[in-house]
Amino acid sequence: MTDSTAPRPPTGDHQVPLELQVNGRTARLSADIRTTLLDALRDGLGLTGSKKGCDRGQCGACTVHVDGRRVLSCLTLAVGAQGKQVTTIEGVAEGDRLSPVQQAFLDHDGFQCGFCTPGQIMSAICAIRDGDTGSDAAVREAMSGNICRCGAYEGILRAVRSAAERTARQEGTG
Amino acid sequence: MAKPLIGTATARVDGTAKVTGRADYAADRTEPGLAHGHLVLSTAGRGTLRSMDVTAAEAAEGVLAVYSPFNPLKLHRIKTTPDVCFVGQFWLPLQDQEIRHYGQIIGLVVAETFEQARHAASLIRAEYDLLPVRADFAGRIAHAVPPPVAINHEDPQVDLLAEEFGTVDEALAAGPVQVRATYTQPPEAPLALEPHACLASWSEGVLTLRVGSQSPVGGALAAAETLGIGLDQVRVLSPYVGGAFGGKLYIWPHPLLTAAAARELGRPVRTVLTQEQVFTTVGHRSAVSQTLALGAERDGTLVAVKHDAVSSLSLSGVIYETAAHTTSRYTYKSPSLHVGQRIVPLDSPPTTWVRAPGEAPGAFALESAMDELATELALDPVELRMRNYATVFPGRGVRWSGKHLDECYRVGAERFGWQPRTAPRPQPAEDSDQVWLTGTGMAGATYPGNLLPTTLANVRLRADGTATVATATSDPGTGMRTVLAMVCADDLGIPVERVEALVGDSALPLNYGAFASMGTSSSAGAVRSATTALKQRLLDLAAGDARSPFHGLAAEALAYRDGRVVGGGHSLTFAELLAATGLSELDSPGASAPGAERLRFAVHSFGAHFCELRVNRWTGEVRLDRWTSVIDGGTIINPRTARAQIVGGILFGIGQALLEGIRVEPDTGRFANGNLADYLVPVHADMPDFDIHFLDHPDTDFTPLGARGIGELGVVGTAAAIANAVHDATGRRVRDLPITVDKLL
């Protein structure tokens, strides 16, 4: 009985130079061609806020924004993210001033262990922007790609609803 | 007097770190010269590893070492048991060629990068001499045996019989009404979202091990024992833990191998498990089968309870579910009572503690059986429970330190709008176009209140007006940091923002950690002991130090109030007093430990769950709509994090009821759905609307603070409440979890 299941990458030197636009800055690094955007952010750039829960697109903990859309960075190759604007949890606050969604997660206890939280917040920011958060049912659907094993969904729901309402008010008055 | 913090909803003190991504979990740190480990797991379930071809792996780019049973990292044998040593299993990987379960560790590849290590691991070929695998729990129940050791200090079979009966079966037969049924559930995974990870680095013979753990001290004990070093040569750091649920109580072998590799290579090594690897290299909850028989008078009074549980036990471990001893043993008053436990040893990954171990499956069976009895008697299920209400722990003759379960039932029924029922809900006519069938269900919940062995804490006042509280527990999302800061701030009469809580470090004052819902009552007690002593030290300083404005006054003439020392016409903040006396800080240790309360009282937390759900008449889909729980947990220190604990526990129970279960291939022992896509857990859309209410009955017979644990209580009874509601909606009694659509079609 033998085992050998993983696909074979090409042999030879796998390192390539990469240029990524992350949180408004240009970052240059050398990475393996197999490196996911998640691993490039975490290991290459030290941006460890994005989490590796499953590395297979099953949990949502690695959610970041690429050109304004929420993507699973564990299913995105770093080489493929070149030339696009990447935003991570480290890029949503303005200095020490938390973004409204971050503040709402604090205000409504939208987390417990905190591991899924960066992904939840990145998902929520996009869901609010995309107008998918107009009702409790809409939030539950829009946020169901981000698993929280602690079961903080109730706080997440209240946080997303309140941030969405606040955003809508600001847009209404702005 | 400042408003008391205890009992006031308080935001988590580590919240900002968590919403900004700054909270550093075990896999988030790096070190200069870091190398990356990747595990190799067996693809056989039992036998002998005949050979491993590592040639290609060793030749692969970036590979530093390939360790295997044929090129082992030497670890010292475990001299104790898997629980005492905190490794979680008897044997350590790579020390022999035996294959004990599918997915066990048979290799560790270390390379310069993560990608290189993962790729090289995939190049390894293993050959096995196979033996038949004993993995079929259901098929082996007939071979179940009594466990070799006591359960909660009692025999595996306990019979408390009314004197006229020789056996519990005779007692059952004397009841005019009887129900008897078997309830089953598959193994479950704790499945914290953070996969287990570790970073080991050595400096001058001292190991620093970063690992997400419920028990940094336990991790240090395990590392010292298996790596052959002193306890003063290891420090385990778990500043942030990405969920645990029992799965991170023991350290498991991968950090020990990683530390050994780091020692041999002279480089820091980080090993991050994949979720697929987590399923088989760390523990899971036993599969459980329970047979419950209830005998009752026609008015619902129980005459006998007979609860026999069978659990799977991994041959690698010692932990299994004790479903009857943890529930039917004491939940209801009955003149005759029998609980029994047997185990089915399997060639499986280690079985271990998972949130509400014993109570979670036990309450599913018992509280389902009570519902079945209520149906049989045409009696309201709440009323049936009240007619069998226990005020004295059966067979021990002691009362509970605090028990307000009756109030939980009553208040819960009121808040929920429970309609007492005595007859089955009518089903729609065959030709009705009704799609959703609505049902309601309820169940009770119990969880023991225990205290850790000796628990220490240190509280330090600083001249800048801040304080720190330190103890070696961890905060896997429970809110422990916040609770410790609150107790400290409350005792010192200062705002919580001025207290820093230090946890997650084995070098802090001794604390076995956060598990079995003991963390808050134990750790908070140690903090209170420390603050009490510290305030006295401060008064002694004020009276005794020549530079103090209070000098010359008797310490007894001084008082500490709201962060100030007052007396003799003076009033100084502790910061001013420390500055006046030339001290930068003043500290005191404190301790808590179990005492005689366990002999004088039974100690449990209680609760009652009520839920409403819909079942789709055509697809069998179950949707939970609303949920009310009333909780009797003694003093609630932080209602905000307490609510989160209860809600999170109920969601854990919703998973047990509707979604979760490891599918074991009987011939190989492989976990067929051992990944986050195929092992289903509740997602956001699965959540009902929650109404959570805490009763306010401080349990000062248990601890001075009056707090009991609530971290696991929410799980208990949840699956039964759901199964009972499904029965109410559909008329179908599902006794095999999870309640999937195929069981309702």
Side-chain angles (χ1 to χ4, degrees), chain A residues 89-150:
Chain A
I89 189 70
E90 291 90 349
V92 300
E94 290 177 30
D96 285 341
R97 190 153 158 265
L98 298 179
S99 76
V101 178
Q102 287 173 308
Q103 187 62 48
F105 269 68
L106 275 185
D107 294 344
H108 296 276
D109 206 34
F111 53 89
Q112 290 186 32
C113 80
F115 192 81
C116 73
T117 310
Q120 300 277 1
I121 290 172
M122 297 311 284
S123 264
I125 291 171
C126 268
I128 292 169
R129 197 186 293 152
D130 295 347
D132 293 337
T133 52
S135 67
D136 284 6
V139 172
R140 288 176 184 199
E141 193 62 34
M143 294 297 292
S144 277
N146 290 83
I147 292 174
C148 171
R149 181 57 157 164
C150 298

Side-chain angles (χ1 to χ4, degrees), chain B residues 282-479:
Chain B
V282 315
H284 62 276
R285 191 198 299 277
S286 309
V288 185
S289 173
Q290 305 168 71
T291 301
L292 231 147
L294 302 175
E297 304 286 358
R298 296 209 181 277
D299 68 357
T301 310
L302 288 170
V303 297
V305 174
K306 182 185 184 188
H307 188 168
D308 282 303
V310 184
S311 302
S312 65
L313 167 67
S314 165
L315 284 158
S316 295
V318 290
I319 308 301
Y320 57 89
E321 296 286 311
T322 56
H325 284 67
T326 52
T327 53
S328 296
R329 173 65 185 83
Y330 63 85
T331 301
Y332 296 108
K333 183 175 66 181
S334 172
S336 293
L337 184 66
H338 163 97
V339 291
Q341 177 69 52
R342 285 176 300 148
I343 51 175
V344 176
L346 295 180
D347 301 312
S348 78
T351 36
T352 195
W353 311 108
V354 177
R355 200 170 190 178
E359 291 83 4
F364 163 61
L366 175 59
E367 293 295 272
S368 290
M370 287 296 280
D371 205 67
E372 300 203 40
L373 180 61
T375 303
E376 188 70 26
L377 292 162
L379 187 64
D380 179 61
V382 178
E383 178 59 27
L384 174 65
R385 284 165 173 81
M386 281 310 300
R387 290 189 187 176
N388 295 286
Y389 196 77
T391 53
V392 172
F393 194 98
R396 280 183 55 200
V398 295
R399 69 166 175 89
W400 271 273
S401 57
K403 176 174 180 177
H404 305 274
L405 179 57
D406 48 351
E407 193 177 340
C408 293
Y409 294 143
R410 181 171 51 75
V411 174
E414 280 168 19
R415 293 176 74 96
F416 182 80
W418 178 258
Q419 302 295 318
R421 61 163 171 257
T422 52
R425 191 183 292 265
Q427 291 295 308
E430 191 71 19
D431 59 352
S432 159
D433 58 4
Q434 186 180 338
V435 173
W436 291 99
L437 306 172
T438 300
T440 58
M442 62 81 56
T446 61
Y447 193 85
N450 287 318
L451 291 171
L452 290 166
T454 302
T455 299
L456 305 182
N458 186 281
V459 175
R460 187 179 302 268
L461 298 172
R462 294 215 183 95
D464 63 2
T466 64
T468 58
V469 52
T471 182
T473 188
S474 90
D475 185 341
T478 54

Side-chain angles (χ1 to χ4, degrees), chain A residues 1-9 12-15 32 34-36 39 42-43 48-56 58-59 61 89-90 96 98 102 105-109 111-118 120-121 136 139-141 143-144 146-154 156-157, chain B residues 12 15-16 18-21 23 25 27-28 36 43-44 61 113-116 118-119 122-128 130 189-195 241-243 245 270 275-276 355 476-477 640-641 643-645 647-648 651-652 660 675-677 679 681-685 687-690:
Chain A
M1 186 171 174
T2 63
D3 66 278
S4 172
T5 51
R8 292 295 141 72
D13 186 5
H14 300 129
Q15 296 289 311
D32 195 300
R34 298 164 290 193
T35 301
T36 62
D39 287 324
R42 290 178 53 81
D43 291 339
T48 55
S50 306
K51 300 302 181 203
K52 187 186 284 189
C54 67
D55 217 15
R56 293 190 172 212
Q58 298 162 348
C59 75
I89 189 70
E90 291 90 349
D96 285 341
L98 298 179
Q102 287 173 308
F105 269 68
L106 275 185
D107 294 344
H108 296 276
D109 206 34
F111 53 89
Q112 290 186 32
C113 80
F115 192 81
C116 73
T117 310
Q120 300 277 1
I121 290 172
D136 284 6
V139 172
R140 288 176 184 199
E141 193 62 34
M143 294 297 292
S144 277
N146 290 83
I147 292 174
C148 171
R149 181 57 157 164
C150 298
Y153 298 127
E154 185 184 47
I156 293 167
L157 174 64
Chain B
R12 293 170 199 264
T16 302
K18 288 177 177 176
V19 301
T20 55
Y25 302 83
D28 294 345
H36 296 259
T43 54
E61 187 185 350
T113 72
F114 164 66
E115 289 80 7
Q116 290 167 342
R118 180 179 58 183
H119 174 57
S122 76
L123 302 177
I124 293 171
R125 285 164 172 70
E127 297 201 6
Y128 307 92
L130 299 178
L191 206 65
L193 206 59
E194 178 202 26
V241 184
F245 317 114
R270 184 171 79 195
Q275 279 290 7
E276 292 76 9
R355 200 170 190 178
R640 185 169 166 145
T641 50
R643 181 186 175 101
Q645 283 285 285
V647 165
L651 277 156
F652 218 87
E660 295 186 39
N675 63 74
L676 254 177
Y679 183 96
V681 298
V683 299
H684 204 134
M687 172 184 69
D689 289 328
F690 286 109

Side-chain angles (χ1 to χ4, degrees), chain B residues 72-89:
Chain B
L73 287 156
K74 187 67 195 147
L75 294 172
H76 292 252
R77 284 173 66 92
I78 294 163
K79 297 174 203 70
T80 55
T81 54
D83 47 345
V84 171
C85 71
F86 276 83
V87 175
Q89 59 185 53

Side-chain angles (χ1 to χ4, degrees), chain B residues 539-564:
Chain B
L539 298 184
D540 291 343
L541 173 76
D545 192 294
R547 294 165 291 184
S548 161
F550 302 98
H551 184 62
L553 292 167
E556 297 73 41
L558 303 177
Y560 181 94
R561 268 202 304 275
D562 297 342
R564 307 180 78 87

